[in-house]
C-alpha cells in the first residue's frame, strides 16, 4: 500500500494479525518510531499484531508491505536466512540505514502499485520477502561458514542453471534450493567473483541476450516481442533496466516500433 500525507502526523495503531508488515520510507521522513529516533532508517517493522507509534514529517511518502508470517518463516528456513527478533516480536526499530537492496524492493513494489495488471507471481513475492529479510538481518552478525570450494561449485552450478533458464527468469530462491546452498552463500560467491549478487548477474545476463537479439532482428520483430521472449513482461521496468545497463532505450537499439 502506498501512503502519502501532507501534514506531519502522529500515528498509532495495531499491526495486522498473522502478517509481518514492513514500512519502506525515505531517510529523515519519520522522526520517531516506537519512541526511538528513526531519522536514519529506511526500513520500519510493524511486527505482527503489535501496537505501533510513529511521527512522520510533512509531505511524507512511503510504502507498507504485509506478508503472511508463516510464508516468511518457510522462506527464511529454505534460504538459510534469519528473521531478527525486532521484525517478528516487538515492532521495534532495527539498526538499518541506507541499503541498495531497498531500492530494488521499492522499485518492484512501486511497479506493482502503478500497474494493477502486473501479475504478482510466487517469484515476485519471494523476491520481495527475501530482500526484506536480507536487509532486516544486515544489522546482525551472520557469518557464512561455506568453504571456497563450496562457493566455487555453487557459482558454477548457479550459472549453468541461469543459462538453461534464461527465458524463464527463475527465482534465486529456486536456484539455491536446486543446488543445495543458502542464499547468503550464493550471494557471497557471486559478489566475490563478479562484484554483484546473483539476481543482478542474472538480470544482466538476460538483458545482454535481449540486446543481441534486438540487433539481429531489428527489422523483423518488435521490442516488446523480443523482451517477452526472454521473460520480460513489465515493459516499463524492462526499459528502465535496459537503459541503466546500456545507456540507451531498447527502441534505440531496435528502431522498429514497439
Amino acid at each position: 500500500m502506498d501512503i502519502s500525507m501532507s501534514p506531519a502526523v502522529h500515528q498509532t495503531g495495531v499491526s495486522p494479525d498473522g502478517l509481518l508488515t514492513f514500512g519502506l520510507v525515505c531517510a529523515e521522513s519519520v522522526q520517531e518510531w516506537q519512541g526511538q529516533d528513526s531519522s536514519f532508517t529506511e526500513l520500519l517493522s510493524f511486527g505482527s499484531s503489535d501496537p505501533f507509534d510513529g511521527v512522520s514529517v510533512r509531505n511524507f511518502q512511503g510504502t507498507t508491505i504485509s506478508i503472511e508470517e508463516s510464508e516468511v518463516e518457510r522462506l527464511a528456513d529454505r534460504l538459510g536466512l534469519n528473521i531478527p527478533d525486532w521484525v517478528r516480536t516487538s515492532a521495534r526499530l532495527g539498526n538499518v540505514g541506507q541499503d541498495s537492496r531497498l531500492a530494488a524492493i521499492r522499485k518492484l513494489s512501486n511497479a506493482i502499485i502503478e500497474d494493477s495488471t502486473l501479475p504478482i507471481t510466487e517469484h515476485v513475492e519471494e523476491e520481495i520477502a527475501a530482500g526484506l529479510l536480507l536487509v532486516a538481518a544486515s544489522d546482525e552478525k551472520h557469518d557464512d561458514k561455506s568453504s571456497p570450494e563450496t562457493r566455487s561449485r555453487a557459482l558454477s552450478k548457479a550459472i549453468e542453471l541461469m543459462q538453461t533458464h534464461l527465458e524463464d527468469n527463475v527465482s534465486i530462491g529456486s536456484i539455491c534450493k536446486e543446488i543445495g546452498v543458502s542464499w547468503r552463500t550464493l550471494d557471497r560467491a557471486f559478489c566475490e567473483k563478479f562484484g554483484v549478487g546473483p539476481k543482478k548477474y542474472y538480470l544482466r545476463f538476460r538483458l545482454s541476450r535481449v540486446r543481441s537479439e534486438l540487433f539481429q532482428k531489428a527489422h523483423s520483430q518488435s521490442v516488446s516481442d523480443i523482451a517477452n521472449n526472454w521473460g520480460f513482461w513489465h515493459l516499463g521496468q524492462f526499459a528502465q533496466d535496459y537503459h541503466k545497463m546500456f545507456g540507451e532505450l531498447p527502441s534505440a537499439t531496435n528502431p522498429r516500433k514497439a
Side-chain angles (χ1 to χ4, degrees):
M1 181 173 63
D2 199 21
I3 302 173
S4 299
M5 295 181 288
S6 296
V9 174
H10 177 205
Q11 190 173 14
T12 62
V14 178
S15 60
D17 186 25
L19 300 174
L20 285 180
T21 300
F22 300 86
L24 297 179
V25 299
C26 295
E28 300 183 357
S29 65
V30 178
Q31 295 178 336
E32 188 175 292
W33 184 255
Q34 301 299 90
Q36 305 175 61
D37 175 15
S38 61
S39 58
F40 64 90
T41 193
E42 294 187 6
L43 178 65
L44 305 173
S45 171
F46 290 75
S48 179
S49 67
D50 289 316
F52 61 85
D53 187 311
V55 180
S56 62
V57 301
R58 295 181 60 186
N59 299 318
F60 169 85
Q61 288 186 314
T63 303
T64 60
I65 300 174
S66 295
I67 310 170
E68 288 187 14
E69 187 171 7
S70 58
E71 292 299 321
V72 176
E73 290 173 344
R74 278 194 285 271
L75 179 63
D77 181 64
R78 181 157 63 88
L79 299 183
L81 299 175
N82 183 54
I83 304 177
D85 289 340
W86 69 269
V87 168
R88 183 160 46 184
T89 59
S90 62
R92 294 186 182 278
L93 182 67
N95 185 25
V96 177
Q98 294 184 352
D99 191 303
S100 59
R101 287 167 294 199
L102 285 176
I105 299 170
R106 189 177 284 113
K107 184 169 65 174
L108 182 56
S109 61
N110 286 342
I112 293 171
I113 292 171
E114 293 169 3
D115 185 356
S116 60
T117 64
L118 183 66
I120 306 177
T121 63
E122 182 180 349
H123 179 193
V124 172
E125 291 179 341
E126 178 182 288
E127 185 175 335
I128 292 175
L132 288 169
L133 283 176
L134 285 167
V135 176
S138 64
D139 68 325
E140 299 184 350
K141 184 176 180 57
H142 297 286
D143 293 330
D144 175 41
K145 305 296 185 181
S146 65
S147 67
E149 292 77 14
T150 297
R151 295 194 297 278
S152 178
R153 286 194 298 270
L155 184 72
S156 297
K157 291 180 179 179
I159 292 175
E160 183 179 345
L161 281 171
M162 290 176 182
Q163 291 174 329
T164 305
H165 297 282
L166 284 175
E167 302 94 337
D168 303 325
N169 188 23
V170 297
S171 70
I172 301 304
S174 297
I175 292 176
C176 290
K177 182 179 180 180
E178 179 71 21
I179 62 181
V181 298
S182 72
W183 187 302
R184 288 186 176 278
T185 295
L186 192 63
D187 186 68
R188 180 180 174 187
F190 272 86
C191 288
E192 288 177 342
K193 183 71 173 181
F194 303 112
V196 296
K199 180 177 180 297
K200 183 168 288 188
Y201 178 92
Y202 193 20
L203 174 63
R204 290 178 177 178
F205 205 156
R206 294 168 57 238
L207 286 172
S208 294
R209 291 301 178 92
V210 171
R211 184 172 177 82
S212 177
E213 195 161 322
L214 286 173
F215 279 122
Q216 295 173 13
K217 301 180 179 180
H219 301 291
S220 61
Q221 256 189 301
S222 68
V223 171
S224 58
D225 285 342
I226 293 174
N228 291 164
N229 290 342
W230 293 97
F232 293 99
W233 298 101
H234 189 277
L235 297 182
Q237 187 60 59
F238 159 72
Q240 291 180 32
D241 291 334
Y242 189 95
H243 183 272
K244 184 176 181 180
M245 182 169 176
F246 300 113
E248 66 179 19
L249 291 172
S251 56
T253 307
N254 182 338
R256 177 185 170 90
K257 186 176 180 182

